[in-house]
């Protein structure tokens, strides 16, 4: 009888302690017991990648972080949660899209660029911010998360001109169009304050009536003149050079120098300098104008790379939109295939709306082609002559992305050499990017266009077509020493340098 109160008390304590467990077992499942969705499984790797990056670039890239990083991060926990959520949504969308059947152009090339895959890649990209949407004119939208960035190298044939001449001399591959650059003059225009003058019109005369050359100075105030590429220039031993800007002009006569004995500048070639009186720099209070055009080979052989190129260009566009100085950027695009395909060229006119441009970019799919060369000549003609380039104070850049050379056997076709000359006349640089599988012939032609327009040749080294890695460019063919970097960073650094030239 004395033990009964003790037993009752013990039972009461056990009931009190066990009640929460009993209620949990009978009620809703806890978070640890909740079923895991299929979408969550597919995002494990993506979430891990998002947690290890804070600026949308691969942790493999050891280069200094781009300048936009401080402007896109908020509280650490909020940023991490935002990135994880964005990456999870992207991976789930991509997984759903990849399961859809391919139709139309998407069914070509083994379905590598199926419409479903392209749509999934487009949907996975977060909205692109418009410059000037937050404090300090800096967008706050997180940059796209590119988990597999394209790796690339660069060759500056104007910086190492002697090596380039040797490369051309050793070339023994297929036919290319001739353009003799062995005699080169760098025409540099300066103002009365010893500052370079961009967008000056430069004309070279053999005599006062014979116009031999016309060009527009690039952002560094320079343009290249190659008299041996102009048959009519062979009879002259001196040239009259005229520079015009803002209604003012300055002319000077230069003697032709024997190329073997010409004095060399730091980047090769004889420099002709014209010093125009007064200040000819535009007002720096205004944001610089930038026309940026992407010329993209969209034939079937590009199927393995189209999606990655779309992601890379979206990354590039975002990073450029938040560069210091907030440049006024207009984006344009030209895609091309070959004669007999569903289209030869397709253009998207310049726009300042980054989201509109991104939508067009993400609509591109690969198809057609057939043989190896493509209609690059016609695409260049459309790019240089049919697009509404800014004719005033601006930086004008074309980035060509392709894995094949142009057809040189078509009747009634344009010539890439003549289109390059027209690009110089309008002050447009052609940065040619060799994609996976580009042959030595394609590399040679791409380097021709880049060198004449005072640009560089870029080439994909890793991350392109998984079935055909490498680019066939200098990495494997010409033993050029280069530093491998993320392609998006290379392009953004090029743009940054071009804009910086305007203020130095």
């Amino acid at each position: 009888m004395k033990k009964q109160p003790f037993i009752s008390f013990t039972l009461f304590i056990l009931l009190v302690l066990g009640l929460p467990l009993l209620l949990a077992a009978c009620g809703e499942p806890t978070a640890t017991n909740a079923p895991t969705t299929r979408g969550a499984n597919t995002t494990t790797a993506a979430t891990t990648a998002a947690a290890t990056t804070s600026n949308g670039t691969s942790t493999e890239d050891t280069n200094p972080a781009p300048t936009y990083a401080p402007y896109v991060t908020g509280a650490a926990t909020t940023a991490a949660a935002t990135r994880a959520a964005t990456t999870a949504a992207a991976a789930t969308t991509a997984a759903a899209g990849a399961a859809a059947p391919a139709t139309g152009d998407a069914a070509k090339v083994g379905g590598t660029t199926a419409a479903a895959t392209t749509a999934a890649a487009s949907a996975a990209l977060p909205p692109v911010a418009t410059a000037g949407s937050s404090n300090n004119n800096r967008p706050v939208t997180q940059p796209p998360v590119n988990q597999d960035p394209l790796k690339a190298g660069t060759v500056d044939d104007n910086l190492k001109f002697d090596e380039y001449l040797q490369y051309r001399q050793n070339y023994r591959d297929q036919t290319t169009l001739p353009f003799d650059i062995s005699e080169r003059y760098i025409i540099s225009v300066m103002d009365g304050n010893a500052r370079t003058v961009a967008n000056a019109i430069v004309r070279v005369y053999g005599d006062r009536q014979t116009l031999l050359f016309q060009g527009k100075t690039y952002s560094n105030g320079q343009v290249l003149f190659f008299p041996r590429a102009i048959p009519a220039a062979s009879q002259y031993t001196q040239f009259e050079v005229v520079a015009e800007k803002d209604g003012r002009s300055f002319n000077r006569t230069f003697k032709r120098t024997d190329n073997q004995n010409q004095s060399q500048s730091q980047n090769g070639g004889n420099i002709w300098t014209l010093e125009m009186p007064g200040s000819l720099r535009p007002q720096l209070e205004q944001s610089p104008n930038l026309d940026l055009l992407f010329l993209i080979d969209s034939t079937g052989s590009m199927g393995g790379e189209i999606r990655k190129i779309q992601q890379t260009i979206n990354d590039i566009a975002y990073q450029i939109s938040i560069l210091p100085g907030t440049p006024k950027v207009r984006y344009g695009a030209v895609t091309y295939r070959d004669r007999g395909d569903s289209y030869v060229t397709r253009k998207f006119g310049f726009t300042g709306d980054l989201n509109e441009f991104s939508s067009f970019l993400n609509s591109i799919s690969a198809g057609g082609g057939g043989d190896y060369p493509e209609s690059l000549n016609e695409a260049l003609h459309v790019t240089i002559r049919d697009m509404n380039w800014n004719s005033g104070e601006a930086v004008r850049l074309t980035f060509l992305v392709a894995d094949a050379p142009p057809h040189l056997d078509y009747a009634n076709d344009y010539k890439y050499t003549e289109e390059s000359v027209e690009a110089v006349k309008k002050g447009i640089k052609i940065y040619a990017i060799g994609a996976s599988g580009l042959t030595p012939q394609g590399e040679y032609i791409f380097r021709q266009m880049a060198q004449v327009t005072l640009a560089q040749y870029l080439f994909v080294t890793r991350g392109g077509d998984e079935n055909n890695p490498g680019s066939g460019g200098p990495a494997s063919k010409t033993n050029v020493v280069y530093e491998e970097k993320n392609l998006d960073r290379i392009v953004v650094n090029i743009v940054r340098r071009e804009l910086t030239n305007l203020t130095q």
Side-chain angles (χ1 to χ4, degrees), residues 81-128:
T82 301
R83 286 193 297 273
T86 300
T87 309
T92 305
T93 306
T103 59
D105 278 344
K108 298 179 182 179
V109 200
T112 15
T113 49
T117 305
T118 303
S122 305
L125 299 178
V128 182

Side-chain angles (χ1 to χ4, degrees), residues 289-447:
N289 295 312
L290 170 65
D291 279 0
L292 190 62
L293 185 141
F294 291 92
L295 175 56
I296 303 173
D297 176 354
S298 60
T299 55
S301 60
M302 289 286 289
E305 295 185 282
I306 286 290
R307 184 189 64 80
K308 292 183 178 180
I309 289 170
Q310 290 166 329
Q311 174 68 70
T312 296
I313 295 178
N314 272 286
D315 289 351
I316 290 168
Y318 177 84
Q319 295 178 50
I320 289 174
S321 74
I322 55 175
L323 283 175
T326 317
K328 296 178 181 177
V329 190
R330 296 197 310 161
Y331 299 92
V334 174
T335 64
Y336 68 96
R337 293 181 178 174
D338 205 355
R339 295 183 181 183
D341 291 336
S342 57
Y343 66 85
V344 177
T345 63
R346 178 184 173 209
K347 65 180 182 179
F348 177 81
F350 283 110
T351 178
D353 188 328
L354 194 50
N355 285 309
E356 183 181 345
F357 171 72
S358 183
S359 295
F360 172 82
L361 180 69
N362 294 328
S363 72
I364 300 171
S365 63
D371 57 359
Y372 183 60
E374 314 298 356
S375 287
L376 175 54
N377 283 324
E378 184 168 344
L380 276 169
H381 179 85
V382 171
T383 296
I384 304 302
R385 301 176 191 260
D386 293 350
M387 297 294 287
N388 185 28
W389 291 92
N390 190 325
S391 60
E393 291 294 331
V395 173
R396 307 164 199 83
L397 306 177
T398 292
F399 286 92
L400 162 66
V401 187
D403 66 352
H407 267 285
L408 300 180
D409 55 348
Y410 280 160
N412 302 317
D413 199 11
Y414 303 102
K415 296 181 179 180
Y416 69 84
T417 50
E418 294 178 357
E419 303 309 322
S420 298
V421 170
E422 183 67 16
V424 174
K425 186 176 181 179
K426 293 186 175 182
I428 302 169
K429 287 190 175 184
I430 303 174
Y431 286 89
I433 304 174
S436 300
L438 184 67
T439 61
Q441 180 195 22
E443 176 189 325
Y444 186 95
I445 292 172
F446 283 21
R447 290 174 74 167

Side-chain angles (χ1 to χ4, degrees), residues 32 57 67 92 96 154 173 218 251 355 436 439 454 459 484:
T32 54
T57 55
T67 56
T92 305
T154 65
D173 208 84
Y218 294 110
N251 66 292
N355 285 309
S436 300
T439 61
L454 209 58
F459 49 96
E484 185 181 72

